């Protein structure tokens, strides 16, 4: 009699254990399938960021004046962010002309204006405008995106 009473409970426990194992297996299968799909989608959607193309202009020291006709020194170094390889190679080939143009532009600045943030932004805009002027006959279209200061001292 005891054997018949144990049999339904034993079958019930085995059925519950089997259902729990099946549930865990199905959960594991669907989670791994979802993660694999998410990883492949992330790899396809996330392109590698392209490094900016830069042209380094070595620092320059220039005499400048203020509104009271007093002499000051401007020490400035910057990097040009360009849009393509053609512009980068062109500026590297014509670096003496670029530096000459920049020295002339920097020498005409006012030290009182360069101290402020607006003065630095205006100078960067003037540099961009100056570099858009042709440096050589039959030069390619140049793509200068930004002027990034690396050194800037007004003394």
């Amino acid at each position: 009699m005891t054997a018949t009473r144990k049999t339904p409970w034993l079958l019930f426990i085995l059925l519950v254990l089997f259902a729990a194992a099946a549930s865990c297996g199905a959960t594991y299968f669907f989670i791994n399938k979802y993660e694999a799909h998410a990883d492949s989608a992330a790899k396809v959607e996330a392109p590698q960021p392209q490094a900016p193309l830069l042209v380094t202009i070595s620092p320059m020291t220039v005499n400048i004046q203020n509104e009271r006709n007093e002499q000051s020194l401007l020490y400035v170094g910057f990097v040009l962010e360009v849009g393509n390889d053609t512009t980068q190679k062109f500026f590297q080939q014509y670096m003496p002309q670029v530096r000459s143009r920049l020295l002339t532009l920097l020498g005409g600045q006012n030290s009182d204006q360069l101290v402020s943030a607006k003065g630095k932004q205006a100078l960067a805009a003037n540099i961009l405008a100056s570099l858009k002027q042709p440096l050589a006959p039959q030069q390619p279209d140049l793509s200068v995106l930004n002027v990034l200061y690396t050194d800037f001292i007004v003394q």
Side-chain angles (χ1 to χ4, degrees):
M1 219 176 190
T2 58
T4 57
R5 285 188 179 178
K6 289 183 180 178
T7 305
W9 287 106
L10 184 61
L11 288 175
F12 180 71
I13 290 173
L14 287 175
L15 184 64
V16 167
L17 287 175
F18 179 74
S23 173
C24 289
T27 303
Y28 177 77
F29 173 75
F30 286 117
I31 287 176
N32 280 344
K33 184 177 179 181
Y34 174 74
E35 285 178 357
H37 178 68
D39 288 343
S40 66
K43 288 178 185 175
V44 170
E45 293 175 12
Q48 294 293 332
Q50 183 179 356
L53 296 173
L54 303 173
V55 177
T56 303
I57 309 291
S58 55
M60 301 179 221
T61 304
V62 181
N63 290 323
I64 57 175
Q65 293 184 353
N66 60 15
E67 293 174 357
R68 297 176 303 275
N69 253 357
E70 297 172 346
Q71 289 285 327
S72 297
L73 284 178
L74 171 63
Y75 177 81
V76 63
F78 48 89
V79 174
L80 301 175
E81 183 179 1
V82 296
N84 54 41
D85 289 330
T86 305
T87 304
Q88 186 180 32
K89 290 175 185 174
F90 182 82
F91 279 142
Q92 289 170 348
Q93 288 175 339
Y94 285 88
M95 188 56 67
Q97 290 89 335
V98 171
R99 287 184 56 83
S100 175
R101 184 172 290 180
L102 292 173
L103 284 169
T104 304
L105 175 71
L106 294 172
Q109 299 300 308
N110 185 332
S111 64
D112 293 333
Q113 294 174 352
L114 290 178
V115 176
S116 69
K118 288 182 181 179
K120 291 178 181 81
Q121 291 172 351
L123 178 60
N126 290 340
I127 290 170
L128 285 174
S130 175
L131 292 175
K132 294 196 187 233
Q133 301 297 323
L135 290 167
Q138 299 176 348
Q139 86 178 28
D141 288 336
L142 301 179
S143 173
V144 183
L145 304 175
N146 203 358
V147 175
L148 308 169
Y149 293 113
T150 57
D151 302 302
F152 202 96
I153 300 172
V154 178
Q155 187 176 358

